[in-house]
């Protein structure tokens, strides 16, 4: 195919679009710097001299009790109790005791998160040093997420960069790297689907983009698990021929083909191979330590510190005895799997209706199901779902209510812990804040399970991924022959 001549008008439009994109990225990055610095300063109040013999700050875990934002952070908490302070390389030498205590460097997270913690502890002698080093490791991922979102949905990136969750959770736990892998997978698909300058051809073949995205999701699985569930809808997107959707499937069927089972297999295979390559060294060098992290999570119970519908709902019926924990251990995984099945079913129905499988919407629906029914719902999980609010046209009342409930949860749950540990009665406003926030989130997550799959993507991401392909489009035209609108070509990735 010969390239079209680039006219002066098109050059002007491209330069104008790139200039505006540069402004969007710059403003978004500055907003990210401000919110993450605020987060850093807020969490740092739990650290600082004097320290005890183990490097634990006397300010831990409350810091300034009158501060607006609680300073509690898992980055400081895990300094002790996981051999991070003794600089033991994770998993290789450890295990789990009969009482559930981890030892020998084992942490309760997937292996790559444990490795990040190990690197954060290098050169650290106190919990404050560990926090500062870890924050420096995490911050670049926060900026990377912002840049990717700005390139995909432009000013909507500020919903990530300039809202409370980034203040509350940037340095609360090791969430930023895993979120970066999930957003990175979408970014790879969007970049590959954009057109080469001067042509109407996409930058990379669909299969190539999807395999790269699957590798990123597999890396995310080895950080915090949840991106791994997105491989299934991504494979379905490739199976149904991506943005070409039903038109391309029809054209392939006329040629004796049909659904792209080979491409879907490559996506799944890439994810499996990546996970195996990361996990196997730990399994071979220290199987007991590697398994201990899984055993710890399996033993974890839905208690007051897990913010789940189980503790704030089911326990009122069953009590908190063995029957309660037995029911949760069965119902939680079953309902999670059922929510995954519902999301995939709704996604396939959407494919039959509009001709394109909504893999991003299905991914968001699966994540909502996981967050709703899992026995642990840590407050920082808001960072997991927030990019879906950025990438998709979720209704403003839903976004605002979710973020307000999240703010209420953060401002109450971390005040609950020291009061509980001291054995004092819990104030009504704290109990109401925690329980009310949990149930507001639960209602919204249930709503998102069934609505994410039909929620449109924001522009220019929607144009690149073919989210609006009409059902009756001409099947003789495949995705590489469609020319996207000029504004989509000259803004963001061009």
């Amino acid at each position: 195919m010969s390239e079209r001549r680039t006219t002066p008008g098109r050059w002007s439009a491209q330069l104008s679009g790139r200039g505006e994109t540069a402004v969007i990225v710059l403003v978004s990055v500055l907003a990210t710097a401000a919110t993450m610095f605020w987060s850093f300063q807020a969490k740092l109040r739990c650290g600082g001299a004097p320290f005890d013999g183990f490097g634990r700050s006397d300010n831990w875990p409350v810091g300034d009790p009158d501060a607006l934002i609680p300073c509690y952070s898992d980055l400081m908490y895990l300094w002790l109790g996981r051999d991070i302070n003794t600089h033991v390389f994770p998993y290789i030498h450890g295990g789990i005791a009969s009482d559930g205590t981890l030892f020998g460097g084992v942490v309760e997270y997937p292996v790559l998160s444990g490795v990040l913690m190990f690197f954060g502890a290098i050169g650290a002698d106190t919990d404050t040093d560990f926090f500062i080093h870890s924050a420096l490791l995490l911050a670049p991922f926060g900026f990377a997420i912002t840049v990717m979102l700005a390139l995909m949905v432009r000013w909507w990136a500020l919903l990530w960069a300039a809202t409370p969750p980034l203040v509350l959770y940037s340095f609360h736990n090791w969430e930023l790297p895993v979120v970066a892998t999930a957003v990175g997978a979408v970014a790879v698909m969007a970049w590959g689907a954009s057109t080469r300058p001067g042509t109407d051809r996409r930058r990379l073949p669909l299969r190539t983009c999807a395999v790269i995205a699957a590798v990123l999701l597999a890396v995310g699985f080895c950080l915090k698990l949840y991106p791994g569930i997105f491989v299934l809808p991504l494979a379905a997107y490739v199976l149904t021929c991506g943005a070409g959707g039903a038109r391309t499937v029809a054209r392939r069927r006329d040629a004796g083909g049909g659904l792209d089972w080979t491409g879907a297999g490559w996506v799944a295979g890439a994810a499996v191979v990546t996970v195996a390559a990361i996990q196997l060294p730990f399994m071979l060098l220290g199987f007991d330590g590697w398994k201990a992290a899984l055993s710890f999570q399996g033993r974890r119970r839905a208690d007051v510190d897990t913010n789940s519908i189980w503790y704030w709902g089911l326990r009122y019926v069953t009590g908190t005895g063995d029957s309660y924990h037995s029911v949760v251990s069965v119902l939680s995984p079953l309902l999670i799997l059922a929510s995954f099945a519902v999301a995939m079913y709704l996604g396939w129905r959407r494919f039959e209706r509009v001709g394109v499988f909504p893999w991003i919407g299905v991914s968001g629906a699966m994540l909502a199901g996981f967050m709703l029914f899992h026995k642990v719902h840590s407050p920082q999980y808001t960072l997991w779902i927030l990019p879906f609010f950025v990438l998709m046209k979720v209704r403003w009342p839903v976004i605002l209510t979710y973020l307000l409930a999240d703010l209420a949860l953060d401002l109450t749950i971390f005040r609950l812990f020291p009061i509980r540990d001291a054995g004092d009665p819990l104030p009504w406003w704290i109990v109401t804040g925690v329980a009310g926030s949990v149930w507001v989130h639960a209602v919204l997550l249930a709503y998102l399970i069934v609505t994410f799959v039909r929620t449109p993507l924001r522009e220019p991401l929607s144009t690149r991924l073919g989210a609006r392909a009409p059902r009756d489009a001409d099947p003789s035209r495949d995705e590489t022959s469609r020319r996207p609108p000029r504004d989509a070509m000259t803004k963001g990735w061009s």
Side-chain angles (χ1 to χ4, degrees), residues 106-244:
V106 178
V107 294
E108 59 267 36
Y109 300 105
V111 295
L112 290 186
S113 287
V115 171
L116 281 177
M117 296 176 200
F118 173 80
F119 283 121
I122 293 177
D125 297 315
T126 66
D127 58 0
T128 307
D129 291 338
F130 177 54
F131 170 78
I132 294 172
H133 295 180
S134 298
L136 291 174
L137 284 176
L138 296 174
F141 293 100
F143 286 114
I145 294 166
T146 296
V147 171
M148 289 186 289
L149 290 174
L151 292 174
M152 287 189 288
V153 293
R154 302 170 63 70
W155 288 112
W156 286 100
L158 291 175
L159 183 57
W160 161 268
T163 51
L166 210 59
V167 178
L168 300 174
Y169 309 123
S170 286
F171 307 118
H172 181 87
N173 199 288
W174 287 263
E175 308 302 332
L176 292 178
V178 65
V179 176
T181 63
V183 175
V186 179
V188 166
M189 297 298 291
W191 183 83
S194 63
T195 55
R196 296 176 181 174
T199 75
D200 288 332
R201 298 181 63 85
R202 59 179 294 149
R203 290 181 183 271
L204 289 175
L206 174 62
R207 287 183 181 179
T208 303
C209 293
V211 166
I212 297 172
V215 170
L216 287 172
L217 295 175
V219 172
F221 176 84
C222 297
L223 284 163
K224 281 293 180 76
L225 299 185
Y226 85 88
I229 65 180
F230 303 161
V231 173
L232 180 58
L234 176 61
Y237 181 71
V238 175
L239 176 69
T240 54
C241 300

Side-chain angles (χ1 to χ4, degrees), residues 25-333:
V25 171
L26 177 61
V27 172
S28 300
V29 167
L30 291 175
T32 303
T35 50
M36 289 202 301
F37 182 73
W38 187 358
S39 179
F40 178 82
Q41 291 294 324
K43 300 301 183 182
L44 194 59
R45 293 191 182 97
C46 270
F51 301 96
D52 64 17
F54 297 100
R56 173 66 81 195
S57 171
D58 284 355
N59 295 322
W60 173 262
V62 178
D64 181 3
D66 297 324
L68 175 63
I69 300 175
C71 67
Y72 174 86
S73 167
D74 289 339
L75 271 63
M76 287 191 188
Y77 168 71
L78 288 176
W79 170 248
L80 297 179
R82 303 294 186 272
D83 290 308
I84 292 175
N85 61 313
T86 57
H87 308 285
V88 175
F89 192 81
Y91 310 104
I92 304 302
H93 309 289
I96 185 170
S98 58
D99 62 354
T101 302
L102 297 172
F103 63 88
V106 178
V107 294
E108 59 267 36
Y109 300 105
V111 295
L112 290 186
S113 287
V115 171
L116 281 177
M117 296 176 200
F118 173 80
F119 283 121
I122 293 177
D125 297 315
T126 66
D127 58 0
T128 307
D129 291 338
F130 177 54
F131 170 78
I132 294 172
H133 295 180
S134 298
L136 291 174
L137 284 176
L138 296 174
F141 293 100
F143 286 114
I145 294 166
T146 296
V147 171
M148 289 186 289
L149 290 174
L151 292 174
M152 287 189 288
V153 293
R154 302 170 63 70
W155 288 112
W156 286 100
L158 291 175
L159 183 57
W160 161 268
T163 51
L166 210 59
V167 178
L168 300 174
Y169 309 123
S170 286
F171 307 118
H172 181 87
N173 199 288
W174 287 263
E175 308 302 332
L176 292 178
V178 65
V179 176
T181 63
V183 175
V186 179
V188 166
M189 297 298 291
W191 183 83
S194 63
T195 55
R196 296 176 181 174
T199 75
D200 288 332
R201 298 181 63 85
R202 59 179 294 149
R203 290 181 183 271
L204 289 175
L206 174 62
R207 287 183 181 179
T208 303
C209 293
V211 166
I212 297 172
V215 170
L216 287 172
L217 295 175
V219 172
F221 176 84
C222 297
L223 284 163
K224 281 293 180 76
L225 299 185
Y226 85 88
I229 65 180
F230 303 161
V231 173
L232 180 58
L234 176 61
Y237 181 71
V238 175
L239 176 69
T240 54
C241 300
R247 295 168 301 178
T248 304
V249 171
R251 182 175 58 82
R252 286 167 54 90
R253 187 173 291 117
D254 291 341
L259 296 173
D260 187 6
W261 290 101
T262 301
W266 275 105
V267 171
V272 170
V273 169
T274 302
V275 170
I278 294 172
Q279 301 287 339
L280 278 176
F282 293 91
M283 295 174 66
L284 295 175
L285 294 175
F287 182 80
D288 290 340
W290 174 84
K291 183 181 177 182
L294 301 177
S295 300
F296 182 92
Q297 292 297 339
R299 294 184 182 187
R300 191 169 182 183
R301 295 188 166 189
D303 293 325
V304 65
D305 60 345
T306 60
N307 310 306
S308 69
I309 60 172
W310 306 109
Y311 182 83
W312 294 106
L314 180 65
R315 75 180 176 96
Y316 293 116
V317 177
T318 63
T320 57
D322 291 340
S323 60
Y324 162 74
H325 295 293
S326 298
V327 171
V328 172
S329 66
V330 174
L331 281 184
S332 176

Side-chain angles (χ1 to χ4, degrees), residues 333-345:
L334 285 179
L335 289 175
I336 289 173
L337 292 176
S339 70
F340 290 175
V342 168
M344 288 296 295
Y345 170 76

